[in-house]
């Protein structure tokens, strides 16, 4: 059963009398377990839908859907599948206590992998899940592989019952499913030979593996399970060497790069970051692969949209890892706008100095950077620090924090999104 949370006014469902709270039971005789069933079973043109209205009345809708028209219901979010692993490097295990509850939820859900690109290990999928993935063609899936040698993977995921990932991927690939894979690389555990064997196994799956991202282990000062070594410049360089070897082969044999190192690896090893062309369709940008290149490209493309801002003093808050890359972007912005920019590079006060990503800065860091700065006309903060509910990771509310600061503060993804509007008199100097 799935429950309706909202009915779009004027939609087919609205006309049928479906209301919020209606339980949708079956479609063409097949029971509904979640949004995937609803999505795929209602793709037919002729539908018989059994439902229970909020007053308990059971009803059967028979309809022929006009071509291209949507049914117009939104469903309550599914119960997310929990992770059965206990990875030493799990970022969630590295969260401090006392944060809001949803942050501690370790999801590992192939349905969210298909629907939203969340990475899943597939270690909790059952036979019926495999059957659904194949029947509904849930492709591409985003898979946390970490290692393909089975024993190494058991250790990495800290779970003796993990299924053999190569067997799983092989079976799904035979049914036409494709994958974007990631490996979080932990020095001494899945670098070196394990990394090489894993890339070999994934390569052997042919076109089914669309891309592989190698991401360095990310620890906070609270990563209490972790017993390994932190990632350093030497290890990061060795991983990038493997990336280069495999991308050379992939380019020669398949015409695309196939394997990518995350931005963090380039920053750690102090190697120059590739440009935007390197990343093709940026299929793993959410994983920190190509984010810097995308930002650079966006700034270059958007410079012409910027107005002159002479006399303005603009603060730019960022994390330690982006701090080193910002000056080249700031120089371009200065040249184009005439404004004076000040870079405010902040250490992460919640997760500790090993967490250097700008997007993980918390409200307290923004306050520390900007409180008392009456000399600034406006400030930009990383938009990724705020979730859809307007909260920072430390539960500070952006709108409340903004009120306490002496200048207008704008969350920004790429400078252009905010500065292009600064020339417009009705927006200038007003927080969004
Ligand atoms: S798979 Fe590992 S890293 Fe991912 S949520 Fe589970 S324990 Fe954490």
């Amino acid at each position: 059963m799935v429950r309706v949370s909202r009915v779009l006014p004027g939609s087919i469902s609205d006309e049928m009398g479906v209301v919020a709270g209606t339980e949708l039971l079956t479609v063409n005789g097949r029971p509904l377990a979640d949004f995937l069933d609803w999505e795929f079973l209602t793709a037919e043109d002729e539908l018989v839908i059994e439902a229970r209205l909020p007053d308990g009345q059971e009803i059967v809708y028979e309809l022929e859907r006009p071509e291209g028209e949507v049914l117009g219901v939104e469903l309550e979010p599914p119960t997310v599948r929990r992770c059965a692993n206990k990875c030493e490097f799990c970022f969630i295990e590295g969260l401090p206590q006392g944060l809001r509850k949803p942050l501690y939820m370790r999801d590992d859900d192939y349905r969210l992998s298909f629907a939203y690109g969340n990475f899943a290990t597939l270690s909790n999928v059952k036979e019926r899940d495999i059957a659904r993935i194949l029947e509904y063609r849930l492709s591409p899936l985003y898979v946390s592989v970490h290692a393909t040698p089975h024993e190494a993977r058991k250790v990495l995921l800290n779970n003796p019952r993990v299924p053999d990932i190569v067997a799983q991927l092989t079976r799904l690939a035979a049914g036409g499913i494709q994958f974007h894979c990631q490996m979080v690389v932990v020095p001494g555990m899945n670098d070196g030979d394990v990394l090489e064997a894993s890339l070999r196994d994934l390569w052997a799956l042919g076109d089914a593996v669309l891309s592989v991202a190698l991401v360095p282990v990310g620890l906070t000062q609270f990563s209490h399970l972790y017993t390994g070594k932190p990632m350093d410049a030497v290890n990061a360089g060795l991983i990038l060497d493997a990336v280069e070897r495999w991308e050379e082969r992939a380019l020669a044999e398949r015409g695309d790069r196939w394997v990518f190192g995350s931005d963090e690896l380039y920053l750690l090893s102090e190697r120059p970051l590739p440009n935007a062309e390197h990343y093709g369709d940026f299929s793993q940008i959410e994983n920190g692969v190509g984010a810097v290149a995308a930002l650079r490209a966006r700034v270059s493309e958007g410079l012409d949209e910027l107005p002159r801002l002479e006399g303005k003093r603009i603060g730019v808050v960022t994390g330690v890892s982006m701090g080193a890359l910002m000056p080249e972007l700031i120089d371009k912005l200065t040249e184009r706008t005439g404004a004076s920019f000040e870079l405010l590079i902040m250490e992460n006060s919640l997760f500790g100095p090993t967490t250097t990503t700008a997007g993980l800065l918390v409200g307290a860091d923004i306050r520390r950077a900007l409180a008392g700065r009456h000399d600034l006309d406006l400030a930009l903060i990383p938009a990724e620090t705020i979730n859809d509910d307007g909260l920072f990771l430390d539960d500070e509310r952006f709108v409340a924090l903004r009120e306490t600061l002496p200048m207008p503060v704008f969350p920004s993804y790429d400078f252009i999104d905010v500065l292009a509007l600064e020339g417009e008199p009705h927006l200038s100097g007003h927080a969004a």
Side-chain angles (χ1 to χ4, degrees), residues 83 85-87 89-92 106-108 121 146 157:
C83 173
N85 310 312
K86 210 160 173 46
C87 308
F89 55 82
C90 181
F91 190 78
I92 292 162
R106 294 182 301 151
D107 70 86
D108 193 3
T121 64
H146 300 325
L157 270 58

Side-chain angles (χ1 to χ4, degrees), residues 88-91 94 217-223 226 228-231 351-352 354-355:
E88 282 190 8
F89 55 82
C90 181
F91 190 78
V217 62
L219 303 170
T220 78
Q221 60 181 343
F222 303 101
S223 297
Y226 192 72
K229 292 178 266 176
M231 183 63 70
F351 300 121
T354 55
T355 303

Side-chain angles (χ1 to χ4, degrees), residues 73 132 148-149 153 155 166 191 196 198-200 220 226 285 294 302 305 328 349 358 376 402 407:
V73 292
R132 290 182 95 203
T148 58
R153 193 163 191 260
V155 174
V166 176
D191 53 356
E196 203 58 26
S198 301
L199 291 174
R200 226 174 15 245
T220 78
Y226 192 72
I285 192 166
E305 299 166 33
E328 67 166 79
S349 61
L376 295 174
R402 183 178 63 184
M407 78 296 285

Side-chain angles (χ1 to χ4, degrees), residues 135-179:
E135 180 189 353
Y136 294 158
R137 293 242 165 192
L138 304 184
S139 179
L141 291 177
Y142 288 76
V143 182
S144 282
V145 171
H146 300 325
T148 58
H150 197 195
E151 289 308 312
R153 193 163 191 260
K154 281 186 201 169
V155 174
L156 274 159
L157 270 58
N158 209 356
N159 178 0
R161 287 193 295 276
V162 289
D164 182 338
I165 189 71
V166 176
Q168 284 183 307
L169 296 181
T170 303
R171 185 167 167 206
L172 292 171
I177 308 301
Q178 294 182 298
F179 317 99

Side-chain angles (χ1 to χ4, degrees), residues 65-79:
R65 185 220 310 253
E67 207 181 311
E69 234 179 276
V70 293
L71 293 176
V73 292
E74 287 176 12
L75 305 177
E76 286 185 359
T79 309

